[in-house]
Amino acid sequence: MESSYSADQLADLINQWCDGHHIAPASGQAGERITVRNIRYYRTLGLLDPPSRGGNQGFSEKHRLQLVSIR
């Protein structure tokens, strides 16, 4: 069974991954950290698929990889 994350957990996972791989945004306009607000914004733009469940729950490994590639 695939892991399921809340938006907060997903943001934490991405921030830990970026820290571990020394990844920082190239643009000064991008925030240093991924937040739940960023996740909602990326969903609005169509860059991130909607979660499998509502209420900012049900994010999966697919979503983690999408955010890694966005970052």
Side-chain angles (χ1 to χ4, degrees):
M1 183 174 163
E2 193 169 308
S3 296
S4 181
Y5 310 108
S6 69
D8 286 319
Q9 291 170 324
L10 184 61
D12 288 342
L13 281 172
I14 295 304
N15 290 324
Q16 289 171 12
W17 184 89
C18 288
D19 291 344
H21 290 86
H22 308 288
I23 303 295
S27 168
Q29 295 177 345
E32 290 294 319
R33 312 295 284 168
I34 292 286
T35 64
V36 172
R37 186 175 179 175
N38 296 127
I39 291 172
R40 286 194 305 260
Y41 179 67
Y42 296 146
R43 286 185 51 217
T44 301
L45 293 178
L47 298 174
L48 185 66
D49 292 338
S52 60
R53 294 182 304 214
N56 281 333
Q57 298 290 322
F59 290 100
S60 66
E61 182 67 13
K62 172 183 75 170
H63 299 99
R64 190 188 72 79
L65 293 173
Q66 288 173 331
L67 284 173
V68 164
S69 69
I70 290 168
R71 195 42 140 185

Coordinates of all heavy atoms in Angstrom, one line a residue:
M1 N 0.8 -1.2 0.0 CA 0.0 0.0 0.0 C 0.9 1.2 0.0 O 1.9 1.3 0.7 CB -0.9 0.0 1.2 CG -1.9 1.1 1.3 SD -3.0 0.9 2.7 CE -3.6 2.6 2.7
E2 N 0.5 2.2 -0.8 CA 1.3 3.5 -0.9 C 1.0 4.4 0.3 O -0.1 4.5 0.8 CB 0.9 4.1 -2.2 CG 1.8 5.2 -2.6 CD 1.6 5.7 -4.0 OE1 1.5 4.9 -4.9 OE2 1.4 6.9 -4.2
S3 N 2.0 5.1 0.7 CA 1.9 6.1 1.8 C 1.0 7.2 1.4 O 0.9 7.6 0.2 CB 3.2 6.6 2.2 OG 4.1 5.6 2.7
S4 N 0.3 7.7 2.4 CA -0.6 8.9 2.2 C -0.2 10.0 3.1 O 0.1 9.7 4.3 CB -2.0 8.5 2.4 OG -2.9 9.5 2.2
Y5 N -0.1 11.2 2.6 CA 0.4 12.3 3.4 C -0.6 13.4 3.5 O -1.3 13.6 2.5 CB 1.7 12.9 2.9 CG 2.8 11.9 2.5 CD1 3.1 11.5 1.2 CD2 3.5 11.3 3.6 CE1 4.1 10.6 1.0 CE2 4.5 10.3 3.3 CZ 4.8 10.0 2.0 OH 5.7 9.1 1.7
S6 N -0.6 14.2 4.5 CA -1.4 15.4 4.6 C -0.5 16.5 3.8 O 0.7 16.3 3.6 CB -1.6 15.9 6.0 OG -0.4 16.3 6.6
A7 N -1.1 17.7 3.6 CA -0.4 18.7 2.9 C 0.8 19.2 3.8 O 1.9 19.5 3.3 CB -1.3 19.9 2.6
D8 N 0.6 19.2 5.1 CA 1.7 19.6 6.0 C 2.8 18.6 6.0 O 4.0 19.0 5.9 CB 1.2 19.7 7.5 CG 0.3 21.0 7.7 OD1 0.7 22.0 7.2 OD2 -0.7 20.8 8.4
Q9 N 2.5 17.3 6.0 CA 3.5 16.3 5.9 C 4.2 16.3 4.6 O 5.5 16.2 4.6 CB 2.9 14.9 6.1 CG 2.3 14.7 7.5 CD 1.5 13.4 7.6 OE1 0.8 13.1 6.7 NE2 1.6 12.7 8.7
L10 N 3.5 16.6 3.5 CA 4.1 16.6 2.2 C 5.1 17.8 2.1 O 6.2 17.7 1.6 CB 3.1 16.7 1.1 CG 3.5 16.8 -0.3 CD1 4.3 15.4 -0.6 CD2 2.4 17.0 -1.2
A11 N 4.7 19.0 2.7 CA 5.6 20.1 2.7 C 6.9 19.8 3.5 O 8.0 20.1 3.0 CB 4.9 21.3 3.2
D12 N 6.7 19.2 4.6 CA 7.9 18.8 5.4 C 8.8 17.8 4.7 O 10.0 18.0 4.7 CB 7.4 18.2 6.8 CG 6.8 19.2 7.7 OD1 7.0 20.4 7.6 OD2 6.1 18.7 8.7
L13 N 8.2 16.9 4.0 CA 9.0 15.9 3.3 C 9.9 16.6 2.2 O 11.0 16.3 2.0 CB 8.1 14.8 2.6 CG 7.6 13.7 3.5 CD1 6.6 12.9 2.7 CD2 8.8 12.8 3.9
I14 N 9.2 17.5 1.5 CA 9.9 18.2 0.4 C 11.0 19.1 1.0 O 12.1 19.2 0.4 CB 8.9 19.1 -0.4 CG1 7.9 18.2 -1.2 CG2 9.7 20.0 -1.4 CD1 8.6 17.1 -2.0
N15 N 10.7 19.8 2.1 CA 11.7 20.7 2.7 C 12.9 19.8 3.2 O 14.1 20.2 3.0 CB 11.1 21.5 3.8 CG 10.2 22.5 3.2 OD1 10.4 23.1 2.2 ND2 9.1 22.8 3.9
Q16 N 12.7 18.7 3.8 CA 13.8 17.8 4.2 C 14.6 17.3 3.0 O 15.8 17.3 3.1 CB 13.2 16.6 5.0 CG 12.6 16.9 6.3 CD 11.9 15.8 7.0 OE1 12.0 14.6 6.5 NE2 11.2 16.1 8.0
W17 N 13.9 16.9 1.9 CA 14.6 16.5 0.7 C 15.5 17.6 0.2 O 16.6 17.3 -0.2 CB 13.6 16.0 -0.3 CG 14.2 15.4 -1.5 CD1 14.6 14.1 -1.7 CD2 14.6 16.1 -2.7 NE1 15.2 13.9 -2.9 CE2 15.2 15.1 -3.6 CE3 14.6 17.4 -3.1 CZ2 15.7 15.5 -4.8 CZ3 15.1 17.7 -4.4 CH2 15.6 16.8 -5.2
C18 N 14.9 18.8 0.1 CA 15.7 19.9 -0.5 C 16.9 20.2 0.4 O 18.0 20.5 -0.1 CB 14.8 21.2 -0.6 SG 13.6 21.1 -1.9
D19 N 16.7 20.2 1.7 CA 17.9 20.4 2.6 C 18.9 19.3 2.5 O 20.1 19.7 2.4 CB 17.4 20.4 4.1 CG 16.5 21.6 4.4 OD1 16.5 22.6 3.7 OD2 15.8 21.6 5.5
G20 N 18.5 18.1 2.4 CA 19.5 17.0 2.2 C 20.2 17.0 0.9 O 21.3 16.5 0.8
H21 N 19.6 17.6 -0.1 CA 20.2 17.6 -1.5 C 20.8 19.0 -1.8 O 21.2 19.2 -3.0 CB 19.2 17.1 -2.5 CG 19.0 15.6 -2.4 ND1 18.0 15.1 -1.6 CD2 19.5 14.6 -3.0 CE1 18.0 13.8 -1.7 NE2 18.9 13.5 -2.6
H22 N 20.7 19.9 -0.9 CA 21.2 21.3 -1.1 C 20.5 21.9 -2.2 O 21.2 22.6 -3.1 CB 22.7 21.3 -1.2 CG 23.4 20.6 -0.1 ND1 23.5 21.1 1.2 CD2 24.1 19.4 -0.1 CE1 24.2 20.3 2.0 NE2 24.5 19.2 1.2
I23 N 19.2 21.8 -2.3 CA 18.4 22.4 -3.4 C 17.8 23.7 -2.8 O 17.1 23.7 -1.8 CB 17.3 21.4 -3.9 CG1 17.9 20.1 -4.3 CG2 16.4 22.1 -4.9 CD1 18.7 20.2 -5.6
A24 N 18.0 24.7 -3.6 CA 17.3 26.0 -3.2 C 16.7 26.6 -4.5 O 17.2 26.3 -5.6 CB 18.4 27.0 -2.6
P25 N 15.7 27.4 -4.3 CA 15.1 28.0 -5.5 C 16.1 28.9 -6.3 O 16.9 29.6 -5.7 CB 13.9 28.9 -5.0 CG 13.8 28.6 -3.5 CD 15.0 27.8 -3.1
A26 N 16.0 28.8 -7.6 CA 16.9 29.6 -8.4 C 16.5 31.1 -8.4 O 17.3 32.0 -8.6 CB 17.0 29.1 -9.8
S27 N 15.2 31.3 -8.3 CA 14.7 32.7 -8.4 C 14.5 33.3 -7.0 O 14.1 32.6 -6.1 CB 13.3 32.7 -9.1 OG 12.7 33.9 -8.9
G28 N 14.9 34.5 -6.8 CA 14.7 35.2 -5.6 C 13.2 35.4 -5.2 O 12.8 35.7 -4.1
Q29 N 12.3 35.2 -6.2 CA 10.9 35.4 -6.0 C 10.3 34.2 -5.4 O 9.2 34.3 -4.8 CB 10.2 35.6 -7.4 CG 10.6 36.9 -8.0 CD 10.0 37.1 -9.3 OE1 9.4 36.2 -9.9 NE2 10.0 38.4 -9.8
A30 N 10.9 33.0 -5.5 CA 10.4 31.8 -4.8 C 10.8 31.7 -3.4 O 11.9 32.1 -3.0 CB 10.9 30.5 -5.6
G31 N 9.9 31.2 -2.5 CA 10.1 31.1 -1.1 C 11.2 30.0 -0.9 O 11.4 29.1 -1.7
E32 N 11.9 30.2 0.2 CA 12.9 29.2 0.6 C 12.4 27.9 1.0 O 13.0 26.9 0.8 CB 13.8 29.8 1.7 CG 14.6 31.0 1.3 CD 15.7 30.6 0.4 OE1 16.4 29.5 0.5 OE2 15.9 31.4 -0.6
R33 N 11.2 27.9 1.5 CA 10.5 26.6 2.0 C 9.2 26.4 1.3 O 8.5 27.4 0.9 CB 10.2 26.7 3.5 CG 11.4 27.2 4.4 CD 12.6 26.3 4.4 NE 12.3 25.2 5.2 CZ 13.1 24.1 5.3 NH1 14.2 24.1 4.5 NH2 12.8 23.1 6.0
I34 N 8.9 25.2 1.1 CA 7.5 24.8 0.5 C 6.6 24.9 1.7 O 6.8 24.3 2.8 CB 7.6 23.4 -0.1 CG1 8.4 23.3 -1.3 CG2 6.1 22.9 -0.4 CD1 7.8 24.0 -2.5
T35 N 5.4 25.5 1.5 CA 4.4 25.6 2.5 C 3.1 25.0 2.0 O 3.0 24.7 0.8 CB 4.1 27.0 2.9 OG1 3.6 27.7 1.7 CG2 5.4 27.7 3.4
V36 N 2.1 24.8 2.8 CA 0.8 24.3 2.4 C 0.2 25.3 1.4 O -0.4 24.9 0.4 CB -0.1 24.1 3.6 CG1 -1.6 23.8 3.2 CG2 0.4 23.0 4.5
R37 N 0.5 26.6 1.6 CA 0.0 27.6 0.6 C 0.6 27.4 -0.8 O -0.1 27.5 -1.8 CB 0.3 29.0 1.2 CG -0.3 30.1 0.3 CD 0.0 31.4 1.0 NE -0.5 32.5 0.2 CZ -0.5 33.7 0.5 NH1 -0.1 34.1 1.6 NH2 -1.0 34.6 -0.3
N38 N 1.9 27.1 -0.8 CA 2.5 26.7 -2.1 C 1.8 25.5 -2.8 O 1.6 25.6 -4.0 CB 4.0 26.4 -1.9 CG 4.8 27.5 -1.4 OD1 5.6 27.3 -0.4 ND2 4.8 28.7 -2.1
I39 N 1.5 24.5 -2.0 CA 0.9 23.3 -2.5 C -0.4 23.7 -3.1 O -0.8 23.2 -4.2 CB 0.8 22.2 -1.4 CG1 2.2 21.7 -1.1 CG2 -0.1 21.1 -1.8 CD1 2.3 20.8 0.1
R40 N -1.2 24.5 -2.4 CA -2.5 24.9 -3.0 C -2.4 25.7 -4.3 O -3.1 25.5 -5.2 CB -3.3 25.7 -1.9 CG -3.9 24.9 -0.8 CD -4.9 25.7 0.0 NE -4.4 27.0 0.5 CZ -3.9 27.1 1.8 NH1 -4.0 26.1 2.6 NH2 -3.5 28.3 2.1
Y41 N -1.4 26.6 -4.3 CA -1.1 27.4 -5.5 C -0.7 26.5 -6.7 O -1.2 26.7 -7.8 CB 0.0 28.4 -5.1 CG 0.4 29.3 -6.3 CD1 -0.5 30.2 -6.8 CD2 1.7 29.2 -6.9 CE1 -0.2 31.0 -7.9 CE2 2.0 30.0 -7.9 CZ 1.1 30.9 -8.4 OH 1.5 31.7 -9.5
Y42 N 0.2 25.5 -6.4 CA 0.6 24.6 -7.5 C -0.6 23.8 -8.0 O -0.6 23.5 -9.2 CB 1.8 23.7 -7.0 CG 3.0 24.5 -6.7 CD1 3.9 24.0 -5.7 CD2 3.4 25.6 -7.4 CE1 5.0 24.7 -5.4 CE2 4.6 26.3 -7.1 CZ 5.4 25.8 -6.1 OH 6.5 26.5 -5.8
R43 N -1.5 23.4 -7.1 CA -2.7 22.7 -7.6 C -3.5 23.6 -8.4 O -4.1 23.2 -9.5 CB -3.5 22.2 -6.4 CG -2.9 21.0 -5.7 CD -3.7 20.5 -4.6 NE -5.1 20.2 -5.0 CZ -6.1 20.4 -4.2 NH1 -6.0 20.9 -3.0 NH2 -7.3 20.2 -4.7
T44 N -3.7 24.9 -8.1 CA -4.5 25.9 -8.8 C -3.9 26.0 -10.2 O -4.7 26.1 -11.2 CB -4.5 27.2 -8.1 OG1 -5.1 27.0 -6.8 CG2 -5.3 28.2 -8.9
L45 N -2.6 26.1 -10.3 CA -1.9 26.2 -11.6 C -2.0 24.9 -12.5 O -1.6 25.0 -13.7 CB -0.5 26.6 -11.4 CG -0.2 28.0 -10.9 CD1 1.3 28.2 -10.7 CD2 -0.8 29.1 -11.7
G46 N -2.3 23.8 -11.9 CA -2.4 22.6 -12.6 C -1.0 21.9 -12.6 O -0.8 20.9 -13.3
L47 N -0.1 22.3 -11.8 CA 1.3 21.7 -11.7 C 1.3 20.5 -10.8 O 2.2 19.6 -10.9 CB 2.3 22.7 -11.2 CG 2.5 23.9 -12.1 CD1 3.4 24.9 -11.4 CD2 3.1 23.5 -13.4
L48 N 0.3 20.4 -9.9 CA 0.2 19.3 -9.0 C -1.1 18.7 -9.0 O -2.1 19.4 -9.0 CB 0.5 19.9 -7.5 CG 0.6 18.9 -6.4 CD1 1.8 18.0 -6.5 CD2 0.7 19.7 -5.1
D49 N -1.2 17.4 -9.2 CA -2.5 16.7 -9.2 C -3.2 16.8 -7.9 O -2.6 17.0 -6.8 CB -2.3 15.2 -9.5 CG -1.7 15.0 -10.9 OD1 -1.9 15.8 -11.8 OD2 -1.1 13.9 -11.1
P50 N -4.6 16.8 -8.0 CA -5.3 16.9 -6.7 C -5.1 15.6 -5.9 O -4.8 14.5 -6.4 CB -6.8 16.9 -7.2 CG -6.8 16.6 -8.6 CD -5.4 16.7 -9.1
P51 N -5.2 15.7 -4.5 CA -5.0 14.5 -3.7 C -6.2 13.5 -3.9 O -7.2 13.9 -4.4 CB -5.1 15.1 -2.3 CG -5.8 16.4 -2.4 CD -5.6 16.9 -3.8
S52 N -5.9 12.3 -3.5 CA -6.9 11.3 -3.6 C -8.1 11.5 -2.7 O -9.2 11.0 -3.0 CB -6.3 9.9 -3.4 OG -5.8 9.8 -2.1
R53 N -7.9 12.2 -1.6 CA -9.0 12.5 -0.7 C -9.1 14.0 -0.5 O -8.1 14.7 -0.7 CB -8.8 11.9 0.7 CG -8.8 10.4 0.6 CD -8.7 9.8 2.0 NE -7.4 10.3 2.6 CZ -6.6 9.6 3.4 NH1 -7.0 8.4 3.8 NH2 -5.5 10.2 3.9
G54 N -10.2 14.6 -0.2 CA -10.3 16.0 0.0 C -9.7 16.5 1.3 O -9.2 15.7 2.1
G55 N -9.8 17.8 1.5 CA -9.3 18.4 2.8 C -7.8 18.4 2.9 O -7.3 18.2 4.0
N56 N -7.1 18.5 1.8 CA -5.6 18.4 1.9 C -5.1 17.2 2.5 O -4.1 17.2 3.2 CB -5.1 19.7 2.6 CG -5.0 20.9 1.8 OD1 -5.0 20.8 0.5 ND2 -5.1 22.1 2.4
Q57 N -5.7 16.1 2.3 CA -5.3 14.7 2.7 C -5.1 13.9 1.4 O -5.7 14.2 0.4 CB -6.3 14.1 3.6 CG -6.6 14.9 4.9 CD -5.4 14.8 5.8 OE1 -4.7 13.8 6.0 NE2 -5.1 15.9 6.5
G58 N -4.4 12.8 1.6 CA -4.3 11.9 0.5 C -3.3 12.2 -0.6 O -3.4 11.8 -1.7
F59 N -2.3 12.9 -0.2 CA -1.1 13.1 -1.1 C -0.3 11.8 -1.1 O -0.1 11.2 -0.1 CB -0.3 14.3 -0.7 CG -1.1 15.6 -1.0 CD1 -1.7 16.3 0.1 CD2 -1.1 16.2 -2.3 CE1 -2.4 17.5 -0.2 CE2 -1.8 17.4 -2.5 CZ -2.4 18.0 -1.4
S60 N 0.3 11.5 -2.2 CA 1.1 10.3 -2.3 C 2.5 10.5 -2.8 O 2.9 11.7 -3.0 CB 0.4 9.3 -3.3 OG 0.4 9.9 -4.6
E61 N 3.2 9.4 -3.1 CA 4.6 9.5 -3.6 C 4.6 10.3 -5.0 O 5.5 11.0 -5.3 CB 5.2 8.1 -3.8 CG 6.6 8.1 -4.3 CD 7.6 8.7 -3.3 OE1 7.3 8.9 -2.1 OE2 8.7 8.9 -3.7
K62 N 3.5 10.1 -5.7 CA 3.4 10.8 -7.0 C 3.5 12.3 -6.8 O 4.2 13.0 -7.5 CB 2.1 10.4 -7.7 CG 1.8 11.3 -9.0 CD 0.5 10.9 -9.6 CE -0.6 11.4 -8.8 NZ -1.9 11.3 -9.4
H63 N 2.8 12.8 -5.8 CA 2.7 14.2 -5.5 C 4.1 14.7 -5.0 O 4.5 15.8 -5.3 CB 1.7 14.5 -4.4 CG 0.3 14.2 -4.9 ND1 -0.3 13.0 -4.5 CD2 -0.6 14.9 -5.7 CE1 -1.5 13.0 -5.1 NE2 -1.7 14.1 -5.8
R64 N 4.8 13.9 -4.2 CA 6.1 14.2 -3.7 C 7.1 14.4 -4.9 O 7.8 15.4 -4.9 CB 6.7 13.1 -2.8 CG 7.9 13.5 -2.1 CD 8.6 12.4 -1.3 NE 9.1 11.4 -2.1 CZ 10.3 11.5 -2.7 NH1 11.1 12.6 -2.5 NH2 10.8 10.6 -3.5
L65 N 7.0 13.5 -5.8 CA 7.9 13.6 -7.0 C 7.5 14.8 -7.9 O 8.4 15.5 -8.4 CB 7.8 12.3 -7.8 CG 8.3 11.1 -7.2 CD1 8.1 9.8 -8.0 CD2 9.8 11.2 -6.9
Q66 N 6.2 15.1 -8.0 CA 5.8 16.3 -8.7 C 6.4 17.6 -8.1 O 6.9 18.4 -8.7 CB 4.3 16.4 -8.8 CG 3.7 15.4 -9.7 CD 2.2 15.5 -9.6 OE1 1.5 15.8 -8.6 NE2 1.5 15.1 -10.8
L67 N 6.4 17.6 -6.7 CA 6.9 18.8 -6.0 C 8.4 18.9 -6.1 O 9.0 20.0 -6.2 CB 6.4 18.8 -4.6 CG 5.0 19.3 -4.4 CD1 4.6 19.1 -2.9 CD2 4.8 20.7 -4.8
V68 N 9.1 17.7 -6.1 CA 10.5 17.7 -6.3 C 10.9 18.3 -7.6 O 11.8 19.1 -7.7 CB 11.1 16.3 -6.1 CG1 12.5 16.2 -6.6 CG2 11.1 15.9 -4.6
S69 N 10.2 17.9 -8.6 CA 10.5 18.4 -10.0 C 10.2 19.9 -10.1 O 10.9 20.6 -10.8 CB 9.8 17.6 -11.1 OG 8.4 17.8 -11.0
I70 N 9.1 20.4 -9.4 CA 8.8 21.8 -9.4 C 9.9 22.6 -8.7 O 10.3 23.6 -9.2 CB 7.4 22.0 -8.7 CG1 6.3 21.5 -9.6 CG2 7.3 23.5 -8.4 CD1 5.0 21.5 -8.8
R71 N 10.4 22.0 -7.6 CA 11.4 22.7 -6.8 C 12.7 22.8 -7.6 O 13.4 23.7 -7.6 CB 11.6 22.0 -5.5 CG 12.3 22.8 -4.5 CD 11.9 24.2 -4.5 NE 11.8 24.7 -3.1 CZ 11.3 25.9 -2.9 NH1 10.9 26.7 -3.8 NH2 11.3 26.3 -1.7

